[in-house]
Every structure is written in C-alpha cells, then in structure tokens.
Amino acid sequence: MNYIKPTKFSYLPSFLMPLDVLGLFECDPFGNSLLLRRMIIGIVGWLTYSRYTIVNRIQIEGTEHLENLPVNNVLFLSNHQTYFADVIAFFQIFCAVKWGFKNTLLPPMYLLGPRARQYYVAAAETMNKGLLPRILSQAGALTIERSWRADGRDVKREVDTSATDKIAQALAHGWVVSFPQGTTKSYAPVRKGTGHLVKNLDPIVIPVVINGFRRAFDKKGLRFKKRNTLLTVRFKAPLQISPDDTVDDIVAKVRHAIEQDAPEWVK
C-alpha cells in the first residue's frame, strides 16, 4: 500500500480554509457537509446504542488492528447479514476507536464527537426506499447500481462504472466499508469487482467477520427479531496482497478472510 495524503474539501475558498479550525465548513469529495454527517451519526448512534448493548450483547474483537491505521485509504471488507444494522455497528465501533476505546462501546461518550471520514457501499435501490434510508444515506453512503441484482431478483445489466470512481474518492478521503458479496445471503460468491478494486486502488484491506445480526434483526436491520442475541464483530489483521496476485487470487483471499468459503453441504 502506497501512502496517499488525505484529501480535504471545504465550502470556503482555499485561502480561508485554515481559519476553519472546528471544521464547520468542511465537506466530503461529493459536497456533503461533514458537520451534518457528524450530527446524523451521533443522533443515529444514540438512538441505536441500546440495540447493541442492552437489548442485545455485542462482542468486539481485534480493534487493535484499527488503532494505528491512517485516516484514509482503508477498505473494510465484511460478510453481510442485514442492510443497516451491520453498518451502524461498524460506525459505532469506528467512533469508539477514535476515542481510544478497545473492543467495547461502553460508555457511549464517543458519540459526542463522531468520526466523519467514513463511508459504506450500498445499493442505490435500497437507499432510495423510504425516508429513513435517505437519512441514513447522508451518513456516508456510496450508492451504486448493482449489475447482478435488483428488487430481490437476479438481473443482468451494465456495470455501474461510476462505482469505482466514487470508492476511489472516498478512500482518498477516509475509510470505506464494503460488503463484497453484494447480498445478505450466506456463502454468496465474492464479486470480482472487489478484486479489481483492491488491485487497482491498493488500499489497506481489513477483513471483518460478523455474526448474530441475522438472528437479532430483520433483513433491513431496523426491527428486532430475537432479543438478547450475541452479536459478534471480529476485525482481522490487514490482508496481505501481493502485486503478483491476480483478481481471482484476491477474490479467493477475501472470501477466505471473511469466512465465506462454502462448506460441502452448501455446494
């Protein structure tokens, strides 16, 4: 991974940017206010905090792998179980790590100063359905048009070529969470687009394995399905990617790292 200086954007002219010491006028590469994002992440964090610590129990492992990461060019690749509960948990953990917390969300004081340079990849159709998804998209969603699935059905359409550009801009600015299977179904294949992304952009890749979210929440991750469920989030050491690795090699490494190699009974 080559060092990439973090990008910085503001609504102010460049000569006035140094005066904005509180970051009140800072924005992301797409023109969205980071102040508004901090407010949304903080509010959503407070509203959902009990879901992970009281109604259910969250067990976090491996945040030592996050402590010394740069502020940008870090790609988190995880298996996927719900549309929103997974991402909200990640954002809670990222904010806690920023405040120096290790493998815990207790106490929630980190929500007083949330981390804003964080993004997540999401299907455009999901983020456009209803008011709440639209609000959550303001917390850092990188919306893409999936070429293989739409409205719960398998489809075949042109690849969204703007997706890589969006993710590249987001990585230059901060951290990005992506679900390389592109679905909440267990043992679904890792998309080759993830392999191309890693090979072309050369980010630090942090594999993440989650469990329990599918049992605790509905598919959207907004309603409870089973309370008092153990939710686990395990961050692994950065994935070792060689310049000689092919796209297929990277896909295989990612699939294994997020523990989505299909067992014999699935095959």
Side-chain angles (χ1 to χ4, degrees):
M1 176 262 180
N2 296 319
Y3 173 73
I4 299 177
K5 184 179 179 180
T7 53
K8 186 174 183 179
F9 303 89
S10 176
Y11 296 125
L12 298 174
S14 57
F15 67 91
L16 291 178
M17 288 173 59
L19 300 178
D20 186 21
V21 294
L22 298 178
L24 299 180
F25 297 95
E26 194 173 355
C27 61
D28 66 17
F30 313 103
N32 303 306
S33 169
L34 293 191
L35 176 61
L36 176 61
R37 182 176 300 172
R38 289 188 182 94
M39 293 173 61
I40 292 175
I41 292 174
I43 292 171
V44 172
W46 284 108
L47 292 176
T48 59
Y49 181 76
S50 63
R51 290 169 165 251
Y52 303 106
T53 58
I54 299 175
V55 179
N56 298 294
R57 297 169 291 117
I58 192 165
Q59 177 179 299
I60 307 166
E61 299 178 23
T63 57
E64 64 272 13
H65 299 304
L66 281 58
E67 293 174 358
N68 298 314
L69 291 175
V71 298
N72 69 324
N73 206 30
V74 180
L75 178 64
F76 294 84
L77 298 179
S78 173
N79 61 313
H80 201 16
Q81 295 196 340
T82 72
Y83 292 167
F84 298 115
D86 312 3
V87 170
I88 294 172
F90 285 152
F91 276 28
Q92 293 252 15
I93 295 169
F94 294 164
C95 294
V97 169
K98 173 190 172 183
W99 278 59
F101 289 31
K102 296 182 179 181
N103 295 328
T104 184
L105 297 182
L106 298 170
M109 64 177 65
Y110 58 84
L111 291 171
L112 298 174
R115 191 180 194 281
R117 287 175 175 249
Q118 51 195 21
Y119 303 83
Y120 63 99
V121 179
E125 63 188 70
T126 301
M127 305 312 296
N128 290 329
K129 291 181 178 179
L131 177 61
L132 184 56
R134 290 178 183 273
I135 293 175
L136 292 176
S137 70
Q138 296 302 308
L142 302 172
T143 56
I144 64 171
E145 295 286 348
R146 293 185 296 182
S147 60
W148 65 92
R149 197 164 179 83
D151 297 321
R153 296 178 289 105
D154 291 334
V155 299
K156 288 184 178 181
R157 58 189 179 193
E158 292 185 3
V159 175
D160 182 2
T161 56
S162 68
T164 300
D165 293 336
K166 287 181 182 179
I167 297 172
Q169 291 180 71
L171 282 171
H173 189 251
W175 292 358
V176 175
V177 175
S178 181
F179 303 98
Q181 295 167 284
T183 176
T184 57
K185 183 180 178 180
S186 298
Y187 306 118
V190 170
R191 296 290 162 179
K192 284 193 174 183
T194 297
H196 287 288
L197 189 72
V198 172
K199 191 169 183 65
N200 295 334
L201 301 182
D202 194 25
I204 296 175
V205 178
I206 304 293
V208 192
V209 179
I210 64 172
N211 200 11
F213 290 81
R214 185 179 288 112
R215 289 191 296 273
F217 305 103
D218 66 354
K219 189 172 184 178
K220 289 185 177 181
L222 299 176
R223 296 182 179 179
F224 294 117
K225 192 164 67 174
K226 184 179 180 181
R227 298 169 185 257
N228 197 31
T229 299
L230 177 64
L231 311 173
T232 62
V233 180
R234 178 158 49 96
F235 297 93
K236 295 186 175 182
L239 196 62
Q240 299 300 310
I241 304 293
S242 167
D244 297 327
D245 285 338
T246 65
V247 168
D248 288 337
D249 292 335
I250 295 172
V251 166
K253 286 185 176 182
V254 170
R255 184 178 62 247
H256 182 70
I258 65 174
E259 301 181 6
Q260 289 299 296
D261 288 316
E264 289 297 327
W265 59 267
V266 173
K267 297 177 184 179

